[in-house]
Amino acid sequence: MEHFRQYVDGAFEEGAVRFASLDPATGTPWAEMPGAAPADMDRAVRAADRAFHAPAWAGLSATARGRLLARLADLVQEAAPRLAALETRDTGKIIRETTAQIAYVAEYYRYYAGLADKIEGAHLPIDKPDMEVWLRREPVGVVAGIVPWNSQLFLSAVKLGPALAAGCTIVLKASEEGPAPLLAFAELVHEAGFPPGVVNILTGGPEAGAALVSHPLVAHVAFTGGPQTARHIVRASAENLARTSLELGGKSPFIVFEDADLDSAANAQVAGIFAATGQSCVAGSRLLVQRGIKDAFVAALTAKAEAARIGAPGDMTTEIGPLCTLRQREAIERIVAQSQQAGARLVTGGTVPAGEGFFYPPTILDCTDAPEAPCVTQEMFGPVLSVVAFDTEEDAVRLANATPYGLASGVFTQNLTRAHRMVRNIRAGIVWVNTYRAVSPIAPFGGHGLSGHGREGGLAAALDYTAVKTVWLRTSDDPIPDPFVMR
Ligand code: NAD
């Protein structure tokens, strides 16, 4: 069994309880993890608060903070193969994906390294004589970061990068499912030379998470996860009145018009729903396809789904790995069964393969006659595509927006004016046109409605971790007159 530790105030610790992590490809324990108790979270937040005020961090120039982030970026890049192997082992995400994703995670740290000394205040042309007024942008304080199991290194980079660039300190809670890569990443934070307490990384379940987000010294909660947990977090933030940024799930529409390049669209749709075995917040899980091409397009997808190599996630040739947890697979099986009862037609997949591990095959359900089936309305977080046919552009917009979520969307068409209309009319935080799943540290990422609020990535994310301080300075040497003496 491999052994992992938590990282608090610059030291590595065993944690209050130890728990076993399962290898999703076999269902057997492979590593022992440190579980944080609420008291550990309290210590970590206090350490982050001390570090926030200590000269070793608060006294650093923004440029020096940027240098630390740049060093971290280099270390992540060097360690990428090891981190990728750990993530693959602990979450079942295939090695092809973890290798590419973690190499790119280094770019997020590099982007925020460069941004640290470009977070500027402002001078105001104030409407009063003898006054100078300017704005300082100051870090908000201690950030609580909470991430789900999928892509933990990526989802924490979009919190750590901007928060540290802004000068905040952070306590990050890894998911209790698959925390290995984030706990190993703590060693790189240590090696990069961040002062003790600036970054703290622990893991644990809802109890540990609740202790973190409700802590009175937390100023901002940056959460990625499901809407139900987000509600707990918003309620908890009523105690400390912390700011929140919420990156939640989605039921993102992938819209294909008859005039689209269908080969490109099919490849993008396959990647959009089956990458990460569907455990992706931006999964294009609702295919809306124009009726005239539906059968041909679904046949093309089916052929690709059935040809996908399902297997050991650590094998470079594997295309579909297991789900992260058995619980997740059971939830998917349940929704697929309920959807079939509601009239959805199973096109391919839908049967758990024999053998060990938490595997589930790429699955397509035609829901054209059952547009209210649970697989169309509920986020499944698995490799299940629901298909609904549409006739007109208006129908496509109506179906696309018929969801309380609003994270991502994809539009495939060669018609330029239609593409622009769709961009305008779709209610989502991201619209990809003739592409899908593209991300960059330079581009904001986030959603509306049940998909949450706030944006990660880009300059705006760093500004989100700052508060504006308005400074008024009187430049006159004349004494301020006594207000109680009549003139
Ligand atoms: P989850 O909401 O169950 O758990 C997420 C995290 O919250 C975990 O670390 C968990 O321990 C913690 N947590 C649970 N209860 C808590 C509480 N009361 N207080 C504080 N923390 C608590 O989500 P999950 O099932 O692990 O992950 C899947 C969800 O994440 C999906 O809905 C998915 O769409 C979403 N997601 C969103 C994005 C995005 O960027 N929008 C990215 C990835 C995943």
Side-chain angles (χ1 to χ4, degrees), residues 266-267 269-270 273-274 287 294-308 345-349 361-366 385 387:
N267 285 333
Q269 172 67 95
V270 165
I273 181 63
F274 299 134
L287 168 61
K294 186 192 89 173
D295 290 345
F297 192 67
V298 170
L301 296 178
T302 304
K304 288 176 193 289
E306 291 177 353
R345 186 175 62 81
L346 186 67
V347 179
T348 188
T363 296
I364 300 176
L365 290 157
D366 188 342
L385 179 66
V387 182

Side-chain angles (χ1 to χ4, degrees), residues 146-152 155 159 173-177 204-211 213 223-230 232-233 236 246-250 279-282 327-328 379 381 405 407 445-447 451 456:
I146 307 244
V147 291
W149 76 73
N150 60 313
S151 310
Q152 300 205 37
L155 296 173
K159 298 173 175 52
K173 191 191 81 60
S175 171
E176 64 276 37
E177 313 286 0
E207 199 192 358
V213 298
F223 172 72
T224 302
Q228 203 42 40
T229 312
H232 286 297
I233 284 171
L246 308 172
E247 301 292 347
L248 313 178
Q279 299 161 110
S280 164
C281 54
V282 294
R327 182 169 51 88
Q328 185 65 15
E379 183 186 38
F381 226 55
Y405 291 104
L407 183 56
F445 181 103
S451 295
E456 295 190 317

Side-chain angles (χ1 to χ4, degrees), residues 25-388:
T26 61
T28 52
W30 76 279
E32 207 189 67
M33 301 297 172
D40 292 327
M41 285 297 175
D42 177 58
R43 275 192 306 112
V45 174
R46 287 181 192 286
D49 185 59
R50 278 195 305 278
F52 181 73
H53 296 102
W57 181 246
L60 274 190
S61 68
T63 308
R65 286 202 305 271
R67 262 188 232 117
L68 283 172
L69 278 164
R71 172 94 185 106
L72 184 59
D74 290 344
L75 291 171
V76 169
Q77 192 171 348
E78 280 163 32
R82 180 168 159 260
L83 295 173
L86 284 174
E87 182 164 359
T88 291
R89 187 79 199 271
D90 212 15
T91 67
K93 185 164 170 157
I94 61 174
I95 191 78
R96 263 156 72 156
E97 291 174 343
T98 55
T99 302
Q101 191 179 45
I102 294 169
Y104 199 47
V105 161
E107 295 305 319
Y108 279 76
Y109 287 109
R110 218 158 263 142
Y111 172 80
Y112 284 108
L115 200 63
D117 57 9
K118 289 152 200 86
I119 300 172
E120 297 175 351
H123 181 268
L124 305 188
I126 206 73
D127 58 341
K128 303 190 189 318
D130 303 328
M131 286 287 183
E132 288 291 329
V133 179
W134 68 94
L135 308 180
R136 289 169 53 83
R137 282 216 169 253
E138 299 184 345
V140 284
V142 176
V143 174
I146 307 244
V147 291
W149 76 73
N150 60 313
S151 310
Q152 300 205 37
L153 288 167
F154 176 76
L155 296 173
S156 49
V158 294
K159 298 173 175 52
L160 278 169
L164 294 172
C168 294
T169 58
I170 185 161
V171 179
L172 195 60
K173 191 191 81 60
S175 171
E176 64 276 37
E177 313 286 0
L182 211 41
L183 296 171
F185 164 82
E187 291 160 22
L188 308 183
V189 171
H190 193 74
E191 195 180 336
F194 286 90
V198 170
V199 179
N200 306 272
I201 302 180
L202 308 89
T203 185
E207 199 192 358
L212 172 57
V213 298
S214 60
H215 198 290
L217 292 174
V218 165
H220 181 126
V221 180
F223 172 72
T224 302
Q228 203 42 40
T229 312
R231 291 190 181 96
H232 286 297
I233 284 171
V234 171
R235 278 187 212 109
S237 72
E239 285 310 309
N240 50 16
L241 291 178
R243 300 173 175 194
T244 55
S245 46
L246 308 172
E247 301 292 347
L248 313 178
K251 195 72 203 176
S252 300
F254 188 106
I255 305 163
V256 184
F257 286 93
E258 279 168 355
D259 63 8
D261 174 338
L262 295 183
D263 288 341
S264 280
N267 285 333
Q269 172 67 95
V270 165
I273 181 63
F274 299 134
T277 316
Q279 299 161 110
S280 164
C281 54
V282 294
S285 54
R286 274 191 304 145
L287 168 61
L288 308 180
V289 57
Q290 207 155 13
R291 203 174 301 269
I293 54 164
K294 186 192 89 173
D295 290 345
F297 192 67
V298 170
L301 296 178
T302 304
K304 288 176 193 289
E306 291 177 353
R309 277 188 297 274
I310 305 178
D315 183 335
M316 263 296 178
T317 64
T318 295
E319 291 164 334
I320 304 272
L323 293 158
C324 183
T325 65
L326 183 58
R327 182 169 51 88
Q328 185 65 15
R329 185 174 73 182
E330 287 169 352
I332 291 166
E333 285 185 88
R334 208 165 36 242
I335 297 178
V336 169
Q338 288 166 353
S339 300
Q340 287 178 269
Q341 281 157 19
R345 186 175 62 81
L346 186 67
V347 179
T348 188
T351 309
V352 169
E356 61 184 10
F358 310 145
F359 290 89
Y360 194 83
T363 296
I364 300 176
L365 290 157
D366 188 342
C367 305
T368 299
D369 298 326
E372 300 296 321
C375 64
V376 182
T377 58
Q378 293 179 25
E379 183 186 38
M380 295 176 71
F381 226 55
V384 180
L385 179 66
S386 308
V387 182
V388 177

